[in-house]
Amino acid sequence: MDTMKNHSNGLLAAPLLPLARRFWQRLPPAVLASRPMRRLGAVIYNHYVRYTDRSQSHYTWFLRNPPQLALAADLICSARPERTSLRVMSVGCSVGAELYSLLWLVRKTQPDISIDARGIDIVHDAIASARQATYRLEAPSSSGGTLWVDGKNVLSTSSDAVDEIFDLCPNGAYRVKDTIRAGTSWHVDDAADPGLSDRHGLQDAVLACNFLGPMGPQLAERCLRNLANLLVPGGYLILDGIDLDLKARVVKDIGLLPITEDAQCIHESDPTKQDWPWTRWSLEPFDESRADWPYRYATIFQRPMLLERTSRAFRPPAPAMTVVPVDSLG
């Protein structure tokens, strides 16, 4: 659906938005990166695009954001190197591509680790496709297939990963290797259900990408708080595809620690989110001058624990302390 069809009337008339979009896309990158253009883009996005086309989609593919998944796998594997088991859940898992991608990266580092990996989604057909773990180039990604990228069908953003993730079936389909699928289970469930942790237990890592954005703000916040409750102390939440204002406010209120390593690279890596400010799911330009930028742009967050990864987690500076001379005390 074209987001330009669903905006409200206002300062810019509806018929002018497609023209403004074409003009915008012809401007030099240096002009678009200027602060006045960023402010204009924010006005366009917030008033005409932000709340358009809020229907859910199950289109996804393998290694959608490679630096994000690589960092998540590294954090999971290096947090406790002596780990012998891992619990990870993908919420809003769609057809399973994201969870399988993360498991592939984890097993490259720790091939013998025991993994309890769970995918949950509210859509029965998506869960059935994920459980089957078979993908076809000629099918849409929403039903266990692929995307059309740069004039060809692709399973993954990385062609080199295909041979390591899949076995080629006699009928031409691609099936996720048994070693990657080991320990996975797939469940129809609701991210907003407070009983989620009782049914599935606490997790070392939770993937929650690209399904909270289409929700209304109250439901999205309820889901986000519910997902944070799934984490063990020191566990990681991989959170993407959500309204940035809501994300920054809620994760800060919950007390999650943003992991800022490679934050800008990760923020800019998803090829489907580059058309800001003209599509709802696009991401605004990375702006490190914002006071809330770690919470706004980071996509990996850690639940605090006694011994934390201090080198990678951002912490706001402590308030200045006033030292009172002993002689001045009565």
Side-chain angles (χ1 to χ4, degrees):
M1 182 183 298
D2 190 337
T3 59
M4 294 298 99
K5 296 179 181 178
N6 280 341
H7 57 77
S8 59
N9 291 323
L11 185 62
L12 293 176
L16 296 181
L17 285 178
L19 295 176
R21 183 181 190 176
R22 286 195 290 272
F23 175 76
W24 181 283
Q25 292 172 336
R26 286 170 171 77
L27 292 174
V31 174
L32 294 177
S34 66
R35 187 162 297 277
M37 293 303 292
R38 288 189 178 199
R39 289 176 177 172
L40 176 59
V43 171
I44 294 170
Y45 184 81
N46 289 331
H47 289 276
Y48 302 99
V49 179
R50 187 175 188 173
Y51 299 107
T52 61
D53 187 18
R54 299 188 67 116
S55 59
Q56 290 282 4
S57 169
H58 287 275
Y59 282 84
T60 187
W61 66 96
F62 285 78
L63 295 177
R64 179 167 178 168
N65 191 324
Q68 178 192 72
L69 290 175
L71 178 57
D74 179 54
L75 289 164
I76 292 167
C77 292
S78 61
R80 294 197 294 273
E82 73 281 3
R83 173 199 302 280
T84 58
S85 63
L86 172 69
R87 293 178 61 87
V88 58
M89 176 182 287
S90 177
V91 182
C93 65
S94 184
V95 296
E98 189 170 51
L99 181 56
Y100 284 134
S101 296
L102 179 63
L103 295 180
W104 168 64
L105 289 167
V106 169
R107 290 198 181 280
K108 282 173 68 73
T109 301
Q110 296 191 12
D112 298 326
I113 191 172
S114 173
I115 301 179
D116 179 347
R118 302 185 180 212
I120 72 166
D121 201 289
I122 203 169
V123 178
H124 289 73
D125 289 346
I127 288 297
S129 294
R131 186 178 293 119
Q132 189 177 18
T134 301
Y135 303 85
R136 298 177 178 274
L137 288 174
E138 67 274 13
S141 65
S142 57
S143 59
T146 58
L147 286 179
W148 184 257
V149 178
D150 294 333
K152 61 181 179 180
N153 287 321
V154 298
L155 282 167
S156 166
T157 55
S158 170
S159 58
D160 295 338
V162 172
D163 290 341
E164 296 187 24
I165 296 176
F166 301 100
D167 289 321
L168 182 60
C169 302
N171 63 359
Y174 291 82
R175 182 171 175 80
V176 177
K177 292 180 182 292
D178 292 345
T179 53
I180 298 173
R181 292 190 298 110
T184 59
S185 61
W186 304 91
H187 311 265
V188 176
D189 218 326
D190 187 349
D193 189 336
L196 209 60
S197 60
D198 294 332
R199 288 190 295 277
H200 298 285
L202 297 182
Q203 308 293 316
D204 296 295
V206 173
L207 288 159
C209 296
N210 304 306
F211 76 96
L212 294 174
M215 295 181 179
Q218 292 183 338
L219 178 58
E221 178 172 348
R222 187 162 76 249
C223 287
L224 176 51
R225 292 182 180 275
N226 196 38
L227 298 179
N229 289 332
L230 286 170
L231 294 172
V232 300
Y236 293 96
L237 175 64
I238 298 90
L239 177 65
D240 204 355
I242 180 175
D243 182 88
L244 296 183
D245 288 339
L246 185 148
K247 179 178 75 168
R249 175 177 59 82
V250 176
V251 296
K252 188 173 184 179
D253 183 62
I254 293 173
L256 299 180
L257 302 173
I259 305 299
T260 57
E261 182 175 333
D262 296 334
Q264 182 169 356
C265 175
I266 292 170
H267 179 77
E268 297 171 348
S269 286
D270 190 331
T272 70
K273 298 178 180 178
Q274 306 303 312
D275 194 27
W276 185 86
W278 304 104
T279 53
R280 177 193 57 77
W281 54 87
S282 61
L283 291 175
E284 69 186 33
F286 192 93
D287 184 2
E288 201 168 351
S289 68
R290 295 183 61 106
D292 67 346
W293 77 263
Y295 300 94
R296 189 174 186 85
Y297 301 126
T299 63
I300 303 178
F301 299 86
Q302 185 182 35
R303 179 179 174 181
M305 60 180 294
L306 183 60
L307 298 176
E308 299 162 351
R309 293 178 60 92
T310 56
S311 63
R312 295 188 177 186
F314 169 85
R315 288 167 180 75
M321 296 180 63
T322 301
V323 179
V324 180
V326 175
D327 294 342
S328 68
L329 299 178

